[in-house]
Amino acid sequence: MQEDSLALRFPADPHEVAPVRHQLREWLQGSGFDEDEASDLVLAVSEAVNNSVEHAYPAPARGTVEVRARIGDDGTVAVDVSDHGQWRVPPPALTMRGRGLLLMRESVDEVVIDRSAKGTTVRLRRARSPLTLGPQVAPDCELHETSSGVVAVVRGNVPAEAGPALRRTLTTAARGGTVPLTVDLTRLGEDRAGVQQALHAVAEALEAAGNRLTVRR
């Protein structure tokens, strides 16, 4: 039976981020969350984890990071990412890219940062999305494995409602960000409203895992 809570404790090391992302995604999907909801939560949590890894423990200090997730009675997910160090940057600059806090707020419903002499905790909350009626819009996306990663060729129109499906396809192709991804947009149709948001989310996931997104236009 799937547990309604998850607790992880790991060294503040960049190599630990990908396994944490994988465990969190498996737990969320095992708890009934769809791929879009899981992707948003995993992306937000990985930003907070990356921040603790990068900023909490100045070299040569070593420390740990904790991720504690739980599901409330109403289905809301609450995730705390905690460290016991002292950040070397102001709270708004959550990552060296300077967009970590913005990305978290775009991905979840609530972000609270609690800093104290004992460390920093980032609290994330995300309510379950209401069920949508009608057929899902799936983009035409052809995937090719190469020696340097995966190439995704997107064809035809990608309206706004197809954006989430495209993000799922690209994120899965990139193995959650662990495999370099090239997206070929040279065969897009006139309606491209759903492309940019999908690319943004996938690029952040790749960068969090130390990879990059290449786009052909």
Side-chain angles (χ1 to χ4, degrees):
M1 181 176 178
Q2 179 78 14
E3 296 289 340
D4 61 1
S5 64
L6 175 73
L8 304 173
R9 182 184 178 93
F10 49 93
D13 185 302
H15 295 95
E16 299 289 336
V17 178
V20 169
R21 289 168 60 91
H22 178 71
Q23 290 179 72
L24 178 61
R25 183 181 296 277
E26 282 197 335
W27 176 75
L28 288 167
Q29 292 181 337
S31 299
F33 290 83
D34 65 31
E35 290 190 27
D36 275 339
E37 293 168 330
S39 293
D40 284 344
L41 283 159
V42 169
L43 194 57
V45 170
S46 66
E47 284 292 328
V49 170
N50 275 325
N51 186 67
S52 288
V53 169
E54 293 170 5
H55 301 301
Y57 303 104
R62 301 173 68 89
T64 59
V65 181
E66 298 173 12
V67 173
R68 296 184 179 275
R70 58 198 176 279
I71 302 174
D73 294 337
D74 62 352
T76 297
V77 182
V79 185
D80 290 353
V81 180
S82 304
D83 61 61
H84 306 286
Q86 297 296 315
W87 285 11
R88 295 168 291 163
V89 294
L94 279 184
T95 70
M96 60 185 178
R97 297 183 301 281
R99 301 195 304 271
L101 182 56
L102 175 61
L103 183 62
M104 286 188 224
R105 286 175 172 163
E106 289 177 343
S107 302
V108 297
D109 299 320
E110 182 180 28
V111 180
V112 176
I113 302 174
D114 182 8
R115 302 181 72 210
S116 71
K118 296 181 179 179
T120 300
T121 296
V122 177
R123 295 189 167 90
L124 308 168
R125 290 182 67 258
R126 166 70 187 258
R128 295 296 299 271
S129 300
L131 293 176
T132 56
L133 300 178
Q136 294 185 342
V137 179
D140 182 358
C141 185
E142 182 178 331
L143 304 176
H144 303 278
E145 297 277 351
T146 73
S147 59
S148 58
V150 175
V151 176
V153 181
V154 185
R155 296 186 175 89
N157 292 324
V158 184
E161 58 268 28
L166 179 60
R167 182 182 67 175
R168 287 197 304 270
T169 298
L170 297 179
T171 301
T172 300
R175 314 292 194 272
T178 59
V179 175
L181 179 66
T182 297
V183 179
D184 187 334
L185 302 179
T186 60
R187 303 180 190 181
L188 276 180
E190 293 184 0
D191 191 348
R192 308 179 176 192
V195 172
Q196 197 56 43
Q197 186 176 7
L199 291 179
H200 175 75
V202 174
E204 293 289 351
L206 283 159
E207 192 171 356
N211 289 308
R212 60 174 297 181
L213 174 67
T214 301
V215 179
R216 299 174 185 167
R217 301 182 186 274

